[in-house]
Amino acid sequence: MFPLDVFMTYTLACLLLVISPGPDNLLAVGRGLSQGKLAATISGISSGAGILFHVLAATFGLTLLIQTSDLAFYAVKIVGAGYLIWLGIKALRARRLFSVASAQQQSLQTIFSTGFLSAALNPKPGLFVLAFVPQFVNPSLGSVSLQMMGYGVWFAVLTAIGFSLMGIFSAQLSGWLQNKPKLVAGLNIGAGVTFVASGLAVAFMKQR
Protein backbone atom coordinates (compact mmCIF):
# COMPACT_ATOMS: atom_id res chain seq x y z
CA MET A 1 0.00 0.00 0.00
CA PHE A 2 2.96 2.31 0.64
CA PRO A 3 5.66 1.59 -2.01
CA LEU A 4 9.13 2.28 -0.62
CA ASP A 5 10.23 4.59 -3.45
CA VAL A 6 7.06 6.68 -3.21
CA PHE A 7 7.28 6.72 0.59
CA MET A 8 10.89 7.92 0.54
CA THR A 9 10.06 10.68 -1.96
CA TYR A 10 7.12 11.72 0.19
CA THR A 11 9.28 11.73 3.34
CA LEU A 12 11.88 13.97 1.70
CA ALA A 13 9.18 16.40 0.58
CA CYS A 14 7.74 16.47 4.10
CA LEU A 15 11.16 17.14 5.66
CA LEU A 16 11.71 20.08 3.32
CA LEU A 17 8.38 21.49 4.44
CA VAL A 18 9.18 20.92 8.11
CA ILE A 19 12.45 22.87 7.99
CA SER A 20 10.93 25.76 6.03
CA PRO A 21 10.63 28.79 8.37
CA GLY A 22 7.11 29.39 9.65
CA PRO A 23 5.18 30.47 12.73
CA ASP A 24 4.87 26.99 14.22
CA ASN A 25 8.55 26.03 14.21
CA LEU A 26 9.35 29.54 15.49
CA LEU A 27 7.10 28.79 18.45
CA ALA A 28 9.10 25.64 19.22
CA VAL A 29 12.39 27.53 18.93
CA GLY A 30 11.09 30.27 21.21
CA ARG A 31 9.97 27.73 23.79
CA GLY A 32 13.36 26.05 23.67
CA LEU A 33 15.19 29.32 24.32
CA SER A 34 12.93 30.55 27.10
CA GLN A 35 11.84 27.37 28.87
CA GLY A 36 14.13 24.56 27.80
CA LYS A 37 13.96 21.20 26.10
CA LEU A 38 10.72 19.88 27.58
CA ALA A 39 8.76 22.99 26.58
CA ALA A 40 10.26 22.80 23.08
CA THR A 41 9.25 19.16 22.79
CA ILE A 42 5.69 19.89 23.93
CA SER A 43 5.46 22.74 21.43
CA GLY A 44 6.67 20.49 18.62
CA ILE A 45 4.21 17.74 19.56
CA SER A 46 1.36 20.26 19.67
CA SER A 47 2.17 21.41 16.12
CA GLY A 48 2.17 17.79 15.00
CA ALA A 49 -1.23 17.36 16.67
CA GLY A 50 -2.47 20.42 14.76
CA ILE A 51 -1.30 18.86 11.49
CA LEU A 52 -3.02 15.61 12.50
CA PHE A 53 -6.25 17.57 12.97
CA HIS A 54 -5.96 18.78 9.36
CA VAL A 55 -5.18 15.24 8.17
CA LEU A 56 -8.33 13.90 9.84
CA ALA A 57 -10.35 16.81 8.47
CA ALA A 58 -9.04 16.26 4.95
CA THR A 59 -9.58 12.50 5.12
CA PHE A 60 -13.17 12.83 6.26
CA GLY A 61 -14.08 15.69 3.96
CA LEU A 62 -14.14 18.72 6.27
CA THR A 63 -11.32 20.42 4.39
CA LEU A 64 -13.15 19.75 1.13
CA LEU A 65 -16.18 21.48 2.66
CA ILE A 66 -14.01 24.48 3.56
CA GLN A 67 -12.63 24.50 0.04
CA THR A 68 -16.06 24.48 -1.61
CA SER A 69 -18.25 26.40 0.88
CA ASP A 70 -17.80 30.17 0.92
CA LEU A 71 -19.23 30.53 4.43
CA ALA A 72 -17.12 27.77 5.97
CA PHE A 73 -13.98 28.94 4.17
CA TYR A 74 -14.27 32.57 5.26
CA ALA A 75 -15.25 31.69 8.81
CA VAL A 76 -12.18 29.48 9.27
CA LYS A 77 -9.99 32.00 7.47
CA ILE A 78 -11.03 34.91 9.68
CA VAL A 79 -10.51 32.92 12.89
CA GLY A 80 -7.14 31.54 11.76
CA ALA A 81 -5.85 34.87 10.46
CA GLY A 82 -6.99 36.67 13.59
CA TYR A 83 -5.24 34.18 15.87
CA LEU A 84 -1.93 34.37 13.97
CA ILE A 85 -2.01 38.17 13.87
CA TRP A 86 -2.81 38.27 17.59
CA LEU A 87 0.19 36.02 18.31
CA GLY A 88 2.36 38.32 16.16
CA ILE A 89 1.25 41.52 17.88
CA LYS A 90 1.72 39.84 21.25
CA ALA A 91 5.27 38.80 20.27
CA LEU A 92 6.11 42.29 19.00
CA ARG A 93 4.77 44.02 22.12
CA ALA A 94 6.22 41.65 24.74
CA ARG A 95 9.45 40.75 22.91
CA ARG A 96 9.64 37.59 25.01
CA LEU A 97 8.98 34.78 22.53
CA PHE A 98 12.76 34.45 22.24
CA SER A 99 14.09 35.09 25.71
CA VAL A 100 17.20 33.87 27.50
CA ALA A 101 16.50 35.87 30.65
CA SER A 102 14.48 34.69 33.61
CA ALA A 103 10.81 34.85 32.70
CA GLN A 104 7.50 33.59 34.03
CA GLN A 105 7.25 29.93 33.15
CA GLN A 106 4.16 28.98 31.17
CA SER A 107 2.40 25.74 31.93
CA LEU A 108 2.85 22.81 29.57
CA GLN A 109 -0.90 22.92 28.95
CA THR A 110 -0.64 26.54 27.75
CA ILE A 111 2.36 25.70 25.57
CA PHE A 112 0.50 22.78 24.00
CA SER A 113 -2.74 24.67 23.41
CA THR A 114 -0.91 27.63 21.83
CA GLY A 115 1.01 25.39 19.42
CA PHE A 116 -2.04 23.28 18.58
CA LEU A 117 -4.30 26.26 17.90
CA SER A 118 -1.62 27.98 15.80
CA ALA A 119 -1.52 24.96 13.49
CA ALA A 120 -5.16 23.86 13.68
CA LEU A 121 -6.76 27.29 13.16
CA ASN A 122 -4.62 28.05 10.12
CA PRO A 123 -6.52 26.78 7.04
CA LYS A 124 -3.39 26.76 4.88
CA PRO A 125 -2.06 23.41 6.23
CA GLY A 126 -5.48 21.83 5.67
CA LEU A 127 -5.68 22.95 2.07
CA PHE A 128 -2.05 21.93 1.63
CA VAL A 129 -2.72 18.42 2.98
CA LEU A 130 -5.70 18.11 0.66
CA ALA A 131 -3.60 19.16 -2.36
CA PHE A 132 -0.29 17.48 -1.43
CA VAL A 133 -1.03 14.10 0.13
CA PRO A 134 -3.37 12.75 -2.61
CA GLN A 135 -0.52 13.04 -5.14
CA PHE A 136 1.09 10.05 -3.41
CA VAL A 137 -2.11 8.02 -3.09
CA ASN A 138 -2.69 5.18 -5.56
CA PRO A 139 -6.28 3.82 -5.56
CA SER A 140 -5.08 0.53 -7.07
CA LEU A 141 -3.06 -0.19 -3.91
CA GLY A 142 -6.00 -0.19 -1.52
CA SER A 143 -8.24 2.11 0.50
CA VAL A 144 -7.73 5.77 -0.43
CA SER A 145 -8.83 6.89 3.05
CA LEU A 146 -6.34 4.55 4.70
CA GLN A 147 -3.54 5.77 2.46
CA MET A 148 -4.49 9.40 3.19
CA MET A 149 -4.39 8.65 6.92
CA GLY A 150 -1.08 6.79 6.68
CA TYR A 151 0.72 9.49 4.72
CA GLY A 152 -0.91 12.26 6.76
CA VAL A 153 -0.03 10.75 10.12
CA TRP A 154 3.57 10.34 8.96
CA PHE A 155 3.66 14.04 8.01
CA ALA A 156 2.31 14.93 11.47
CA VAL A 157 4.95 12.73 13.14
CA LEU A 158 7.76 14.28 11.10
CA THR A 159 6.44 17.72 11.98
CA ALA A 160 6.37 16.92 15.70
CA ILE A 161 9.88 15.42 15.66
CA GLY A 162 11.37 18.13 13.43
CA PHE A 163 9.95 21.05 15.40
CA SER A 164 10.90 19.43 18.71
CA LEU A 165 14.50 18.96 17.56
CA MET A 166 14.64 22.59 16.39
CA GLY A 167 13.45 23.72 19.80
CA ILE A 168 15.82 21.40 21.67
CA PHE A 169 18.76 22.62 19.57
CA SER A 170 17.81 26.24 20.23
CA ALA A 171 17.82 25.51 23.97
CA GLN A 172 21.51 24.70 23.62
CA LEU A 173 22.08 28.19 22.22
CA SER A 174 20.58 30.06 25.17
CA GLY A 175 23.95 30.46 26.87
CA TRP A 176 25.56 31.78 23.68
CA LEU A 177 22.75 34.32 23.26
CA GLN A 178 23.01 35.62 26.83
CA ASN A 179 25.42 38.39 25.80
CA LYS A 180 23.72 39.22 22.49
CA PRO A 181 20.61 41.24 23.43
CA LYS A 182 20.41 42.93 20.02
CA LEU A 183 20.29 39.57 18.26
CA VAL A 184 17.59 38.32 20.64
CA ALA A 185 15.60 41.52 20.06
CA GLY A 186 15.95 41.02 16.31
CA LEU A 187 14.73 37.43 16.60
CA ASN A 188 11.66 38.59 18.52
CA ILE A 189 10.84 41.26 15.96
CA GLY A 190 11.37 38.77 13.14
CA ALA A 191 9.10 36.23 14.82
CA GLY A 192 6.38 38.80 15.41
CA VAL A 193 6.56 39.98 11.81
CA THR A 194 6.42 36.35 10.62
CA PHE A 195 3.25 35.68 12.62
CA VAL A 196 1.57 38.88 11.38
CA ALA A 197 2.64 38.18 7.79
CA SER A 198 1.32 34.62 8.04
CA GLY A 199 -1.96 35.91 9.40
CA LEU A 200 -2.26 38.46 6.59
CA ALA A 201 -1.42 35.76 4.04
CA VAL A 202 -4.27 33.68 5.43
CA ALA A 203 -6.59 36.71 5.46
CA PHE A 204 -5.96 37.40 1.78
CA MET A 205 -5.94 33.76 0.76
CA LYS A 206 -8.43 33.04 -1.99
CA GLN A 207 -10.68 30.00 -2.15
CA ARG A 208 -9.67 27.49 -4.80
Side-chain angles (χ1 to χ4, degrees):
M1 184 175 289
F2 302 101
L4 182 59
D5 57 336
V6 175
F7 188 77
M8 294 303 293
T9 301
Y10 174 79
T11 299
L12 178 59
C14 288
L15 289 174
L16 291 174
L17 290 168
V18 167
I19 65 176
S20 299
D24 297 322
N25 49 24
L26 285 178
L27 271 178
V29 170
R31 299 304 188 190
L33 285 174
S34 61
Q35 290 192 233
K37 298 177 182 179
L38 178 58
T41 301
I42 295 298
S43 185
I45 291 172
S46 68
S47 294
I51 295 296
L52 184 58
F53 168 82
H54 286 294
V55 170
L56 293 172
T59 301
F60 295 107
L62 295 179
T63 302
L64 184 60
L65 173 64
I66 292 171
Q67 196 175 31
T68 56
S69 167
D70 288 342
L71 180 60
F73 175 79
Y74 286 109
V76 172
K77 187 174 78 163
I78 289 171
V79 173
Y83 187 71
L84 288 171
I85 292 172
W86 176 77
L87 285 178
I89 293 173
K90 184 179 178 182
L92 287 170
R93 291 183 63 185
R95 306 282 177 90
R96 286 199 300 265
L97 178 60
F98 296 102
S99 175
V100 292
S102 298
Q104 182 179 359
Q105 298 289 296
Q106 291 187 313
S107 69
L108 296 181
Q109 182 179 356
T110 298
I111 291 171
F112 183 89
S113 62
T114 300
F116 176 79
L117 290 174
S118 177
L121 291 179
N122 185 350
K124 292 178 72 175
L127 297 177
F128 169 80
V129 167
L130 191 64
F132 177 70
V133 175
Q135 297 182 44
F136 297 87
V137 171
N138 186 345
S140 66
L141 296 179
S143 169
V144 169
S145 295
L146 189 57
Q147 290 183 66
M148 282 282 293
M149 283 292 296
Y151 282 121
V153 168
W154 182 233
F155 180 36
V157 169
L158 290 174
T159 298
I161 294 174
F163 287 7
S164 296
L165 290 176
M166 289 180 194
I168 290 171
F169 177 75
S170 70
Q172 306 298 318
L173 297 177
S174 59
W176 179 74
L177 290 171
Q178 285 282 354
N179 299 318
K180 295 177 174 59
K182 290 184 178 179
L183 177 57
V184 174
L187 289 172
N188 277 297
I189 293 173
V193 169
T194 298
F195 276 107
V196 172
S198 297
L200 291 175
V202 169
F204 288 102
M205 183 172 60
K206 294 182 179 180
Q207 189 175 15
R208 293 182 176 86

